[in-house]
Amino acid sequence: MKITILTLFPKMFDGFLKESIIGRARKNEIVEIESVNIRDFGIGSRKQVDDTPYGGGAGMVLRVDVLEKAIRELKSNNKKQKKLVILLTPQGKKYHQKKARELSKYKGDIILVCGHYEGFDERIREYVDEEISIGDYVLTGGEIAAAVVTDSIVRLMPGVLGKEESHQNESFESVTLEHPHYTKPDEYDGKKVPDVLLSGHHAEISKWRREEAIKRTKKRRPDLI
């Protein structure tokens, strides 16, 4: 898979794409990720990408002709490969783990379109396949949302985390949140690691983890059950 992030601020992704799990996945050629500057497709010598909104109002609006040209050119690369174009917008469908898993299995390339300023010209929606929102709040631009979506997709790809079970019991992979975790020291500030985790009894440990996951979910996110 290749993930292309269409953005006005590609340098925002410099560190993100080189470090940790994402960096290793790219180095191991499990996934290809690049950021492309929308301004490369801008109009005139100043590479204009936005303009004032019709009807008046504050802010600037990204032009549909610039964005459509960028999307069209990215889709023309390697035409044999399917392309899924996703608009990152507060008006999109709420993103969740099930969608991340679905996208991680997509047999093609993904293009993430980041908004900025006051938003997009409404007509851009005719040139994308899906619209995604990462939550009910507004960000300065779609770059952080693109990083969230990219990270959630890549970590689910085979070979990225090393062990398949690394993400199978995580929060939102089932109807419950993830169970509590502990490591050394066995006791700290009067608080001890539960005895069952030190017992070596794998069946009892699994039972404890399931029960604790249910308790935690009922307390913190009862809406999931």
Side-chain angles (χ1 to χ4, degrees):
M1 180 189 291
K2 179 178 181 180
I3 299 175
T4 301
I5 302 170
L6 191 56
T7 170
L8 283 169
F9 301 96
K11 289 185 178 180
M12 287 182 68
F13 298 94
D14 288 352
F16 168 71
L17 295 179
K18 293 177 182 177
E19 302 295 334
S20 189
I21 291 170
I22 297 292
R24 291 200 302 270
R26 294 178 70 214
K27 184 177 180 180
N28 294 333
E29 299 183 347
I30 296 173
V31 63
E32 182 181 354
I33 308 172
E34 69 169 349
S35 56
V36 174
N37 198 331
I38 295 173
R39 205 168 291 280
D40 291 343
F41 306 91
I43 297 169
S45 59
R46 296 182 58 214
K47 296 294 183 180
Q48 183 181 1
V49 297
D50 59 355
D51 216 319
T52 54
Y54 281 128
M60 302 290 280
V61 178
L62 289 171
R63 295 177 57 127
V64 62
D65 49 355
V66 173
L67 289 171
E68 190 277 330
K69 179 183 177 182
I71 291 170
R72 176 165 26 95
E73 185 157 326
L74 292 176
K75 290 179 73 173
S76 69
N77 296 333
N78 190 9
K79 290 184 178 180
K80 293 182 180 179
Q81 188 81 331
K82 289 193 304 179
K83 306 287 195 305
L84 180 67
V85 183
I86 299 175
L87 193 69
L88 299 166
T89 165
Q91 300 179 24
K93 290 184 179 179
K94 182 108 38 110
Y95 194 58
H96 47 68
Q97 187 68 10
K98 182 179 178 182
K99 184 62 178 179
R101 185 166 290 283
E102 176 188 317
L103 291 175
S104 74
K105 297 178 180 179
Y106 181 70
K107 303 299 182 183
D109 296 337
I110 295 175
I111 299 170
L112 301 175
V113 185
C114 302
H116 221 85
Y117 308 130
E118 190 61 25
F120 307 96
D121 183 302
E122 181 68 17
R123 291 167 290 186
I124 191 57
R125 302 181 194 280
E126 300 296 321
Y127 303 99
V128 303
D129 302 302
E130 296 184 24
E131 298 180 35
I132 283 178
S133 167
I134 64 168
D136 294 339
Y137 45 85
V138 179
L139 299 168
T140 304
E143 286 74 22
I144 294 173
V148 168
V149 172
T150 298
D151 183 88
S152 65
I153 292 172
V154 172
R155 67 189 305 279
L156 292 173
M157 292 179 175
V160 171
L161 293 184
K163 294 182 178 180
E164 185 67 20
E165 62 268 25
S166 294
H167 55 72
Q168 288 178 349
N169 296 318
E170 291 179 327
S171 298
F172 308 115
E173 283 293 340
S174 63
V175 296
T176 62
L177 299 178
E178 193 171 3
H179 58 77
H181 291 276
Y182 294 88
T183 187
K184 296 179 179 66
D186 299 353
E187 183 175 348
Y188 182 74
D189 198 21
K191 299 176 180 66
K192 297 181 64 177
V193 174
D195 291 338
V196 65
L197 297 180
L198 305 175
S199 68
H201 196 302
H202 297 298
E204 289 298 318
I205 291 172
S206 294
K207 179 183 177 183
W208 179 88
R209 285 175 170 170
R210 286 195 301 271
E211 291 173 349
E212 289 298 313
I214 293 170
K215 287 180 186 178
R216 173 162 289 188
T217 307
K218 285 182 176 179
K219 181 178 181 181
R220 301 184 180 186
R221 288 295 303 275
D223 57 296
L224 295 176
I225 297 180

